[in-house]
Amino acid sequence: MHKAINILLILLAFSLMANAQHPNLILTQQAVKEIRGSLGKYPLLDQTVENYQNKLKQALETDILVPVPKDPGGGYTHEKHKQNGKELYMAGILFQLTGDKVYVDFAHRMLKQYAALYPTLPLHPERKSNNPGKLFWQGLNESVWLVQVSQAYDCIYDALSAKERAYLEEHLFHPMVQFFTEENVRNFDIVHNHGTWCVAGVGMISYVMGDLKMVEKCLYSTRLDGSGGFMAQLEQLFSPDGYYTEGPYYQRYAMMPFILFAEAIQNNQPEKYIYQFRDGVIAKASNAILQLTYTNGRFFPINDALKEKTYLTQEMICNVDIAYSRFGHANGLLSIAEKHGEVLIAKAGLEVAKAVAEGKSQPFDWQSIELKDGANGDEGGIGILRAGSATDQLCILMKYAGQGMGHGHFDKLSISMFDNNQEILQDYGAARFLNTVQKEGGRYLPENKTWAKQTIAHNTLVVDGTSNFDGNLRVAQQQHADCFFFETDKMNSQVMSAKDHHAYPGVKMQRTIAMLQDSEMQKPIIVDLFRVKSDMEHQYDVPFYYQGHLIATNFEYKAYKDLRKTMGSDNGYQHLWLEAEAIPEQGSAQFTWLNDSRFYTITTITDANTQLLMGRIGANDPNFNLRNEPCLIVRQPKAGNHLFASVIEPHGVFDPTSEYTAQSSSKIKGIEVISDTDDATIVRITSQQGKHFLLMVANDKAEKNALHSVDTPKQTYQWTGPFKVEIENMGLTH
Amino acid sequence: MHKAINILLILLAFSLMANAQHPNLILTQQAVKEIRGSLGKYPLLDQTVENYQNKLKQALETDILVPVPKDPGGGYTHEKHKQNGKELYMAGILFQLTGDKVYVDFAHRMLKQYAALYPTLPLHPERKSNNPGKLFWQGLNESVWLVQVSQAYDCIYDALSAKERAYLEEHLFHPMVQFFTEENVRNFDIVHNHGTWCVAGVGMISYVMGDLKMVEKCLYSTRLDGSGGFMAQLEQLFSPDGYYTEGPYYQRYAMMPFILFAEAIQNNQPEKYIYQFRDGVIAKASNAILQLTYTNGRFFPINDALKEKTYLTQEMICNVDIAYSRFGHANGLLSIAEKHGEVLIAKAGLEVAKAVAEGKSQPFDWQSIELKDGANGDEGGIGILRAGSATDQLCILMKYAGQGMGHGHFDKLSISMFDNNQEILQDYGAARFLNTVQKEGGRYLPENKTWAKQTIAHNTLVVDGTSNFDGNLRVAQQQHADCFFFETDKMNSQVMSAKDHHAYPGVKMQRTIAMLQDSEMQKPIIVDLFRVKSDMEHQYDVPFYYQGHLIATNFEYKAYKDLRKTMGSDNGYQHLWLEAEAIPEQGSAQFTWLNDSRFYTITTITDANTQLLMGRIGANDPNFNLRNEPCLIVRQPKAGNHLFASVIEPHGVFDPTSEYTAQSSSKIKGIEVISDTDDATIVRITSQQGKHFLLMVANDKAEKNALHSVDTPKQTYQWTGPFKVEIENMGLTH
Ligand SMILES: [Ca+2]
Ligand SMILES: [Ca+2]
Ligand SMILES: [Ca+2]
Ligand SMILES: [Mg+2]
Ligand SMILES: [Mg+2]
Ligand SMILES: [Mg+2]
Ligand SMILES: [Mg+2]
């Protein structure tokens, strides 16, 4: 009878725990077998394992320390608990790969210390009010810790006795889950990336402990009604294109809990079809974040962003490997994995390491792409045009998205340009030195608000020296710009156009960016048409934050040689030194600079009122927090309706190694407006050789079948669709 | 009888032409055999040959053009003749390697066109007066052309008939030799690198034509008395250490004719023992120029120098390969050859390609080294201290050489510092944009004189706001600084000290630079003792042109936030904006900046009079010719004798990829002077942990056996030799 009951219990347990084999979160039992059989075959895999072994070697030789939490970010106890989390993770992985009990022993001893400590802890003494932790000052760090440690526990689960497990769960994991889901429930249920880390951590440890009821709370909120939790986050935080409204810098970080928890769900409850959810939004987000990089690996630094961030960060190892494994084995991902020099220890990472070893790696497939913003994809977006191979790609980005919450910048219709693996027209990014205590403890600097967020800090229109929405976040957050059209079917003429009617009351803006390729030009040229409409007169400024060294202008200017003043007193202008100013002749002003091994020229239309200002960032910066970088500002001091029409042109070569310099001057002679009405704009660009580039752009109807007709005294221009490009060779001009 | 005479003539010819096998200049007949047998085996060799083939492919398919010379440097005819010279060279080489007559035919047809044109040419219409050419505006370019084309002719010599050769020699090569040795004889006989190119070209073509009498003129001047020519150049232009007085930028270029002509002499007249001449000065120069680079491959930019130049230039391919082959097969050279991706097609290049393929490559062996200046090695020199591997090397250079002729800067006792593959304390280099027409035609810019050459543009002492020798080249050229001692036997304490008594009349300067390593410090620290003596009071300025972003100071300063003025009106000060100034408290002022992934702090002693100025280059620069880079200036406004004592310290890590920042603050607490007399200086550096570093330096007697004794109220310090370092751990300071 006893025996029968035992058998029954065992059978029952088996059925309840059908999926409860271990490990089964990110690394699975099946993958462990395959990885064990693959060691010594695939360099990326071997390097990763060796790297883990080296890192753990020292840890195994020294005492385990689990200090009472005391310090904020960067301090000793903070860094120690972070490090312990990583060591637990690596120990778990290495136990699975090697079977060496020394790793179990290490992880178990450390976890027991945590189990002894955790129940005694009050809230962290340095806690932040809106998301406190116990081990860490921020609940965010505690969630990250749990995401790692749940994987460690999963890996050593079967090597512990039921009693040992019961002790850890009772004293550490259950209390931690309880803390997240009860005391700190506000953060658990919030639709925000902090919430994602939280539900991922709780969800993953709950899978390990077999608590599927708790997993449901992670997916649908503690209320189980979908008003919060992972599914709501997937629903609301990404646009249908997989764009995350705060921008790439924050999306990079947010991707990790999204993709790891999704992987855990897929491995444990494939019946949830998590990767199919919302037309595969996780795959889309995973692709979007990589498309939001340039060929040098850097994320586009829109909004608050540290420019140094590249796709080499830890988050992107998970993202790239899982994307490869789950979303179609695109060989372009492998070239990024090679740069990682490391893989995720899981089926995904094994597949990547194997494919790389088999020579399947190809350059990543950067594309011209539009990523719509907003949960419904109807709140503008980001447009990216590209041309050329990964080794020398011209890329221009226009931002016509929503504000992007508290980390958003007032930068409607701003552009950034990249070429030759360099930043050519920059977005300043954030004013911040990460984790550097002397710079306001590593937090955002005051100049992030007074400079980096302001409209004048961007390559876009500033009206009357003020920022979009007068710098008011609450107002800005309710509005967004709109895509007018985005057409990249023809490689030789890719064009995007966007509008904003909200950023400046009474002012309507439309910016059209065309990337036009022609055999006469070394690389495609960028045509930039910025159309402004207002019934009132305003001062209009359009800055270009060129990166590099000024080489020449075709206009005379007055330089402030020995006395320098600021450009203004607020809204960011107080941070700009006025270095020179000009009143150019009417026609086309040209401004040439050198960046790395190539020259660039802006050719811009000037009228009788145009002023050109040359500036440099760094005024009113007593703590030397800003980078002292230059700009050219095109100013119309008094205008109602106005069309800023410019060409931005890469040209020539500067090669000091072989002492070779060529084509340091522009191949463009000038640019003229043929017609500019509410229906359409036509401009003509003339090359030095006399070739004409005619660009016709719709301003009102962007439909593909809409017919446009423009009469001029000389000619009638007709076309169908949002734009047309005509290139005519008129012979040498005189 | 006829037959007998024929045989006799043949025998006679054979004896006269004993060495006249072809090719035998740089590429030799024996090497051709070996290279042919090695094709397909060594990637560097194959890549080079393939590269030549690709480059010539297009040339072979298009018409040969030999235009009448018309344009100056950068213009069409100039570039075309340059290109033709390179194509001739490659065609000759490829004929030897492949035996394909198409290359002979191409080279022969082109040479015939030159032979038809050359005798008709007057001096070049755009000629420079001091060294005119016929094919080129400068005789220099014509010499370079001949160095290449003589090798081409050597390669196809045996494939042409005697009649064909006679035509080319009569119409092209003899007239060209005549032009160089008669019309332009001044340049042929001059002891200057332009003369070296000239004798190399003439000497090499003369070897090919078998004119050994002309070779003698190349070696000993047209007067044959050694007053000019190659041997005089070897004797006078290099110091016994192989340092070239104009500095690395010019030495790099000059090495090519020196090493190529030497190789041709060795191959044709080994009895000259050219590589043994002057204790092997060619080998020493060849090594010196590589030691004058940092680990990023860049040449130290002292004097007029373009900073972008690296050891990847064409000259350095010859230099590295021949150095490997001739001077001891140092495997460290192979790592540079790998970066070249190309070898010299000759025995030297074959050996390099083979050794690389055999995996013999090792990191280049950068050393702490002193290179004495002056033909006799008694005119000061360059001292270079290094520590750490090629991947993360700390390097500091002090310049105490002669002026270096017209391209020299007024920079006595100036230092430059490098670390972590970056420039940390910069020498500005030259103000010039190579070959960029809009920037004064690519020539040196006016700011090269008004800024780059001035003393204030360097990390050294400026007295009373004037430059060394009041900026007078003629006076400066007659003087030099002197080495006091240079000691690098102990890796943990490398010290160099130099003196100058001429740059400022009535002011004696001594600078001592110590690189001290201790386990408490992450990397070695640099101690910088700048001792100044004068009977009169002066203003003393010592600038530090730090590269990177200011992070923190331990002193209060007044920032010129919204109005900015220049630091002075002449001698370079007019180009500096005053950004901030401070009167620090007495003790130790600290200034921390971030460069790439590491922090750096200067800790400097301050007294009651010390002023600190923060400046930025770029004032009075209406054409935007200067880079806007920052500096810290330590000023003693009124002092006779003064000791500037500073520590420059690399510390910490800034890693945005892994979001990790550590030790952004200095580990140094302060620096004090224990004693400073004409006999010796003693300073004590105290770390934050309370460790004391005591540095004792002789000021008068640098002999290794000289005994020094310094009494202070507390203690007597005694040591033997030029310096002593003592490290005492005194426990935590309070
Ligand atoms: Ca305002
Ligand atoms: Ca003077
Ligand atoms: Ca003067
Ligand atoms: Mg921004
Ligand atoms: Mg809408
Ligand atoms: Mg200099
Ligand atoms: Mg002397």
Side-chain angles (χ1 to χ4, degrees), chain A residues 378-379 480 482:
Chain A
D378 59 0
E379 301 180 14
H480 56 83
D482 285 292

Side-chain angles (χ1 to χ4, degrees), chain B residues 378-380 480-482:
Chain B
D378 60 359
E379 300 181 13
H480 56 84
D482 285 293

Side-chain angles (χ1 to χ4, degrees), chain A residues 63-72 75-85 87-88 109-110 112-122 124-125 134-137 142 145 172:
Chain A
D63 288 346
I64 291 171
L65 292 173
V66 176
V68 174
K70 186 170 78 64
D71 303 319
Y76 167 72
T77 68
H78 178 93
E79 293 298 330
K80 188 69 194 170
H81 290 301
K82 267 174 71 175
Q83 194 192 333
N84 283 346
E87 290 176 359
L88 283 168
R109 281 189 294 127
M110 188 184 281
K112 276 191 292 185
Q113 290 197 35
Y114 273 101
L117 175 69
Y118 197 81
T120 72
L121 294 179
H124 195 285
K134 287 183 154 184
L135 288 174
F136 295 92
W137 68 324
E142 204 135 325
W145 190 91
L172 176 61

Side-chain angles (χ1 to χ4, degrees), chain B residues 93 109 140 173 256 295 297 303 315 322 330 361 548 630 680 683 710 715:
Chain B
I93 295 287
R109 281 190 294 127
L140 174 62
F173 297 124
M256 193 155 176
T295 56
N303 293 340
E315 306 90 72
I322 292 175
S361 174
V683 295
V710 172
Q715 202 179 334

Side-chain angles (χ1 to χ4, degrees), chain A residues 309 438 549 557 622 624 656 664, chain B residues 309 438 549 557 622 624 656 664:
Chain A
K309 283 286 177 192
Q438 300 102 318
H549 201 113
Y557 54 80
F624 293 81
S664 59
Chain B
K309 283 286 178 193
Q438 299 102 320
H549 201 112
Y557 54 79
F624 293 81
S664 59

Side-chain angles (χ1 to χ4, degrees), chain A residues 520-521 554 588 590 592 601 603 649 651 663 665-670 685-693 729-734:
Chain A
E520 191 174 317
M521 296 292 156
N554 77 341
S588 293
Q590 290 194 306
T592 299
T601 293
T603 303
E649 171 205 6
H651 56 87
Q663 191 67 45
S665 299
S666 170
K667 288 191 167 183
I668 302 291
K669 189 180 172 68
I685 297 145
T686 306
S687 80
Q688 295 286 2
Q689 300 290 320
K691 195 176 262 194
H692 284 172
F693 299 78
N729 196 335
M730 303 289 282
L732 280 169
T733 51
H734 37 89

Side-chain angles (χ1 to χ4, degrees), chain A residues 79 82 86 249 252-253 306 308-310 312-315 433-439 546 549-552 557 559-566 574 577 579-580 592 594 599 614 616 618-628 654-661 664-666, chain B residues 79 82 249 252-253 306 308-310 312-315 433-439 546 549-552 557 559-566 574 577 579-580 592 594 599 614 616 618-628 651 654-661 664-666:
Chain A
E79 293 298 330
K82 267 174 71 175
K86 285 180 194 163
Y249 181 75
R252 165 198 56 81
Y253 188 58
L306 293 179
E308 301 92 342
K309 283 286 177 192
T310 69
L312 298 181
T313 56
Q314 203 64 38
E315 306 90 71
F433 289 83
L434 196 70
N435 296 342
T436 306
V437 289
Q438 300 102 318
K439 292 291 193 188
Y546 69 95
H549 201 113
L550 172 55
I551 293 295
Y557 54 80
Y560 292 92
K561 295 191 305 184
D562 47 13
L563 195 74
R564 195 166 273 182
K565 295 182 191 173
T566 68
Q574 74 276 21
W577 294 110
E579 294 200 321
T592 299
L594 172 65
F599 298 90
M614 284 139 79
R616 190 171 298 270
N620 280 292
D621 178 28
N623 296 318
F624 293 81
N625 286 339
L626 296 174
R627 302 190 307 269
N628 290 208
F654 178 78
D655 179 355
T657 299
S658 66
E659 305 232 357
Y660 180 67
T661 303
S664 59
S665 299
S666 170
Chain B
E79 293 298 330
K82 266 173 73 175
Y249 181 75
R252 165 198 56 81
Y253 188 58
L306 294 179
E308 301 93 344
K309 283 286 178 193
T310 70
L312 298 182
T313 55
Q314 203 64 38
E315 306 90 72
F433 289 83
L434 196 71
N435 296 340
T436 306
V437 289
Q438 299 102 320
K439 292 291 192 187
Y546 68 95
H549 201 112
L550 173 54
I551 293 296
Y557 54 79
Y560 292 92
K561 297 190 304 184
D562 48 13
L563 196 73
R564 195 166 273 183
K565 295 183 191 171
T566 68
Q574 74 276 21
W577 293 110
E579 295 200 321
T592 300
L594 172 64
F599 298 90
M614 284 139 79
R616 191 171 296 272
N620 280 292
D621 177 27
N623 296 319
F624 293 81
N625 286 341
L626 295 174
R627 303 190 304 270
N628 290 210
H651 56 88
F654 178 79
D655 179 354
T657 299
S658 65
E659 305 231 357
Y660 180 67
T661 302
S664 59
S665 299
S666 169

